[in-house]
Amino acid sequence: MTGPVVRFAPSPTGFLHIGNARPALLNWLFRLRHHGRFILRLDDTDGLRSTDEYAQALVEDLTWLGILPDAFFRQSERFALYDAAVKRLVGEGRLYPCYETAEELERRRKLQLARGLPPTYDRAALKLTGAERTALEAEGRRPHWRFLLDHKTVEWDDLGRGDCRVDCASLSDPILRREDGTYLYTLPSVVDDIDMGITHVIRGEDHITNTAVQIQLFEALDGRLPVFGHHNLLTTASGEGLSKRLGHLSLRHLRKAGMEPLAVASLAVLVGSSEAVRPVGSLEELAQIIDIGQLSHAPARFDENELAHLNTRLLLELPFEAVRERLASLQIGGGEDFWLAVRGNILRLSDALGWWEVISKPLVPPIEDAAVTGAGARHLPPGPWTKDTWSPFAWQMWTEAITAETGAKGRALFHPLRLALTGRERGPELANLLPLIGHDRARARLEGEEA
Ligand code: GLU
């Protein structure tokens, strides 16, 4: 048996944001968990709003998240398939031409509402005779095309929502093709889902009504029905819907702000689920702990502060191997010892650079208490130091010697030492930094010399 086939179908009309990352990730995790295939399908039939720049950015952003599609398609290259489906549906009477202008439709809608009727399309165009249609076309009108819905209740067993049902009698026949021949999203999506053998359609709950319509379209085109799964949507921390205009929640921005892709991915899927938000080691691990069925039905709030917090927790758990190349590309040395010393004291990986400079570049040490730092210099263990020099015992001997000489304890002891050794108020355990700073530099700094 072959594994499932899923797809992520964004329209390249803006940068991916955390809200679109959710379906992308849920599909990708599904693929990982069930050993399937993941298709990236650009929903770019809207030639005016879709751009290559966005298409490229999309692939970059997905790659950054760790999503590497197994196949890639652009709907703009597949019009022949959609045209063939149109021909078939027209031939079978499921797609019919309509000539109303937007203003006419709006007027009718208002009238229906005024009479207390549901504002659905009244199918007036179905009653047009051939002669009437010819007359309308002679006026220069071009038809748009509506799909004739079966007025039945469509039901499916949803991966995310369980039993779903939509009464299609309450819906307008959807327009599948516009006057100018361009397509709306519905038909290309179904034609491609059939053609690509999509087995599971995982997407936001804003598509639930579309799903009912699309199920009818699958049936009309004799396509095999995929399993559907709808996930809850993300909102901002204050509860607003996410839109492409919220640039600061774009994946590019989060990347620039130094957020780890795994932190973004974990929060994007774990928030609003039955699983606790926590750092994970890999997307594979995430795939094992989360499933679309565990998501809540209410919208989930994406909070940047929570992300920043998760990011620091994640960094603290990242092994050296996971960051080796990135540290090297930032020109950070010090190997594993350095990483283990500083990873608990950074908000973003790039903050490690500041600590590397503390270790590797001269600084003018602020001397807060010359008696303490002077004693510190005199009682240092002799160099050169190895990583075993600063054992807990050696640390205790050193600090006790300083206390014996100066009487300083607690903050009065540690603060001047830290300040002189690192130039900073806070930071990693000094015992972990000292072997990296080295004997000569540490001694000079404690003596108040630039080193
Ligand atoms: N382009 C659509 C969207 O981003 C695709 C929805 C779907 O997955 O079918 O909402």
Side-chain angles (χ1 to χ4, degrees):
M1 230 186 77
T2 54
V5 186
V6 294
R7 87 294 192 281
F8 174 53
S11 47
T13 54
F15 292 121
L16 282 185
H17 55 67
I18 191 76
N20 333 106
R22 195 160 164 94
L25 282 160
L26 286 168
N27 278 291
W28 180 249
L29 298 181
F30 193 85
R31 174 235 185 255
L32 289 178
R33 184 169 172 144
H34 301 286
H35 310 287
R37 279 164 47 78
F38 175 107
I39 293 176
L40 172 60
R41 191 172 75 205
L42 293 189
D43 179 349
D44 61 351
T45 56
D46 183 341
L48 288 180
R49 290 169 58 233
S50 305
T51 71
D52 269 350
E53 186 207 345
Y54 286 135
Q56 237 168 44
L58 224 141
V59 173
E60 259 173 47
D61 291 345
L62 291 178
T63 308
W64 176 71
L65 271 182
I67 297 177
L68 306 169
D70 300 292
F72 172 69
F73 295 96
R74 286 170 179 271
Q75 291 196 313
S76 57
E77 291 168 357
R78 300 169 57 82
F79 285 115
L81 278 172
Y82 315 144
D83 294 348
V86 161
K87 208 164 159 198
R88 172 169 174 186
L89 292 170
V90 172
E92 292 172 5
R94 288 302 294 275
L95 202 59
Y96 61 97
C98 304
Y99 295 86
E100 295 91 346
T101 62
E103 298 77 50
E104 282 164 358
L105 289 172
E106 186 50 27
R107 219 176 308 131
R108 233 182 264 176
R109 222 177 65 87
K110 284 197 179 134
L111 221 71
Q112 283 169 314
L113 284 172
R115 291 190 190 136
L117 297 170
T120 50
Y121 179 61
D122 60 7
R123 293 183 164 172
L126 269 184
K127 297 176 200 105
L128 292 174
T129 63
E132 283 167 329
R133 264 189 244 130
T134 316
L136 285 163
E137 302 231 358
E139 266 176 38
R141 297 212 195 192
R142 292 283 160 269
H144 52 272
W145 298 82
R146 286 190 192 259
F147 178 54
L148 185 66
L149 284 175
D150 196 346
H151 280 173
K152 65 178 181 183
T153 296
V154 171
E155 292 183 49
W156 70 95
D157 185 13
D158 194 277
L159 283 181
R161 302 247 142 187
D163 195 20
C164 280
R165 56 186 69 205
V166 174
D167 175 11
C168 291
S170 65
L171 304 177
S172 295
D173 289 339
I175 299 173
L176 300 191
R177 201 174 194 185
R178 303 186 185 90
E179 286 81 19
D180 62 2
T182 57
Y183 287 98
L184 284 105
Y185 141 83
T186 308
L187 176 107
S189 179
V190 171
V191 168
D192 282 343
D193 286 345
I194 296 172
D195 186 62
M196 296 172 186
I198 301 298
T199 60
H200 295 75
V201 171
I202 298 171
R203 59 187 175 195
E205 66 184 9
D206 49 335
H207 285 290
I208 286 187
T209 308
N210 286 341
T211 294
V213 168
Q214 292 188 350
I215 286 176
Q216 289 210 19
L217 205 45
F218 274 98
E219 288 166 353
L221 294 169
D222 288 324
R224 192 178 68 158
L225 266 190
V227 174
F228 290 92
H230 294 89
H231 62 78
N232 57 347
L233 301 180
L234 293 184
T235 69
T236 63
S238 54
E240 286 166 80
L242 292 174
S243 81
K244 287 178 183 150
R245 280 176 295 278
L246 288 168
H248 65 295
L249 292 182
S250 70
L251 295 183
R252 331 224 98 195
H253 178 87
L254 296 174
R255 162 157 53 141
K256 267 220 198 97
M259 297 300 111
E260 293 294 307
L262 264 179
V264 173
S266 310
L267 191 58
V269 302
L270 292 176
V271 70
S273 80
S274 57
E275 287 291 321
V277 170
R278 58 185 186 269
V280 295
S282 66
L283 291 179
E284 282 75 13
E285 190 184 325
L286 196 56
Q288 297 312 318
I289 59 180
I290 191 79
D291 189 58
I292 178 168
Q294 290 153 277
L295 300 180
S296 128
H297 292 185
R301 285 174 193 235
F302 183 87
D303 183 340
E304 285 163 278
N305 294 327
E306 194 176 3
L307 177 61
H309 181 62
L310 184 64
N311 203 56
T312 55
R313 283 172 66 199
L314 181 87
L315 287 167
L316 178 61
E317 289 180 18
L318 279 186
F320 178 58
E321 279 318 312
V323 296
R324 180 200 284 272
E325 280 170 28
R326 287 161 67 201
L327 293 179
S329 73
L330 290 168
Q331 317 278 323
I332 293 175
E336 184 167 19
D337 292 338
F338 168 76
W339 175 245
L340 298 183
V342 305
R343 66 180 181 177
N345 289 82
I346 51 179
L347 299 177
R348 339 176 170 75
L349 185 102
S350 58
D351 294 344
L353 187 57
W355 286 111
W356 178 239
E357 287 177 351
V358 164
I359 284 163
S360 64
K361 287 201 174 152
L363 63 82
V364 180
I367 299 298
E368 189 181 53
D369 182 335
V372 168
T373 47
R378 276 192 300 285
H379 292 289
L380 283 174
W385 294 337
T386 68
K387 65 184 210 179
D388 302 318
T389 305
W390 286 95
S391 63
F393 178 66
W395 173 260
Q396 194 184 340
M397 295 282 290
W398 183 52
T399 52
E400 280 177 7
I402 306 170
T403 306
E405 195 174 313
T406 63
K409 279 190 195 150
R411 186 182 150 85
L413 170 68
F414 296 115
H415 194 258
L417 293 176
R418 173 176 293 285
L419 208 56
L421 286 166
T422 68
R424 300 191 185 194
E425 298 273 341
R426 270 173 294 276
E429 292 280 347
L430 282 177
N432 295 334
L433 288 181
L434 280 163
L436 294 157
I437 293 173
H439 174 272
D440 295 353
R441 175 163 271 160
R443 185 175 172 114
R445 287 182 184 173
L446 289 169
E447 285 171 346
E449 291 163 21
E450 177 171 356

